Amino acid sequence: MASVDTFADFEEAVDAARDIWFNKVDVNGWLEAFAAHPQIGETPSTNHKSPTSAQWSKGEQSTALATATDSSLQELSDWNAQYRQKFGFVFLICASGRSTPEILAELKRRYTNRPIVEFEIAAQEQMKVTELRLAKLFSTKAKAPSTTSVQFIPDVVNKAGEERSEHHGSTSDCCI
């Protein structure tokens, strides 16, 4: 993504991100991106590579946190731990607008998946997060005067979770 430098519009950026994520990033790159996400129900790490990304992650989980109870947060934490133990990575879901009960139900449903199936679903969820964050980036840039294209801003994209350009020369991110 960083090597492209600018995108004429949101669709062009999403097309590039999808191509990179699904065709050029390897398994280790996917795992690196997954590792950049906080567990659902937790706040982003203070040593998050991008303050903007951490802020977006918090906002994406806001509905879940607003609909959570102490017991549902504990249940979510327990299921997150079981999921991580089974699959080896954080439960990844594009949480924007989703309630804690909805996320918990999806976590329980996906827990029954075979690892290879779940790995692919997690990658698809990562891409949803990337698309959501690209939309936020383009929305922010659209408010800026005198620009018709958006320049890629590396600090907006977290090293692992968003676009890991230094790892593969290009990358893309997204949600929780």
Side-chain angles (χ1 to χ4, degrees):
M1 294 286 292
S3 67
V4 175
D5 193 38
T6 60
F7 300 97
D9 56 31
F10 170 71
E11 290 77 21
E12 185 179 310
V14 168
D15 287 346
R18 284 183 184 160
D19 178 55
I20 292 163
W21 182 245
F22 290 114
N23 298 315
K24 296 179 175 125
V25 176
D26 65 13
V27 169
N28 291 324
W30 282 9
L31 289 171
E32 182 182 344
F34 298 168
H37 291 279
Q39 184 172 286
I40 298 276
E42 291 183 351
T43 56
S45 168
T46 55
N47 37 337
H48 208 279
K49 299 293 182 195
S50 164
T52 302
S53 179
Q55 180 184 5
W56 286 347
S57 183
K58 184 178 179 181
E60 291 154 3
Q61 291 193 41
S62 64
T63 300
L65 295 175
T67 60
T69 63
D70 288 344
S71 63
S72 67
L73 283 176
Q74 183 59 53
E75 186 177 11
L76 189 57
S77 178
D78 294 344
W79 275 96
N80 271 317
Q82 291 175 45
Y83 179 97
R84 185 184 289 271
Q85 183 175 5
K86 179 177 180 178
F87 296 110
F89 52 87
V90 69
F91 174 68
L92 195 65
I93 186 169
C94 186
S96 187
R98 298 177 99 164
S99 69
T100 294
E102 182 182 356
I103 291 169
L104 190 53
E106 184 67 7
L107 194 162
K108 290 176 180 179
R109 186 190 68 73
R110 286 175 44 191
Y111 184 79
T112 64
N113 287 337
R114 292 184 13 238
I116 191 70
V117 171
E118 186 55 25
F119 192 63
E120 177 68 26
I121 292 170
Q124 292 169 0
E125 290 296 314
Q126 173 71 42
M127 189 65 236
K128 289 177 187 177
V129 174
T130 299
E131 290 178 29
L132 180 67
R133 292 185 182 179
L134 284 171
K136 289 175 186 176
L137 180 61
F138 273 79
S139 172
T140 300
K141 291 299 173 186
K143 295 174 187 170
S146 75
T147 178
T148 56
S149 65
V150 173
Q151 184 170 12
F152 182 74
I153 304 171
D155 74 306
V156 171
V157 179
N158 157 309
K159 174 187 172 198
E162 301 172 6
E163 314 295 294
R164 294 170 327 284
S165 60
E166 64 197 45
H167 185 62
H168 285 88
S170 51
T171 11
S172 107
D173 174 36
C174 301
C175 203
I176 311 244

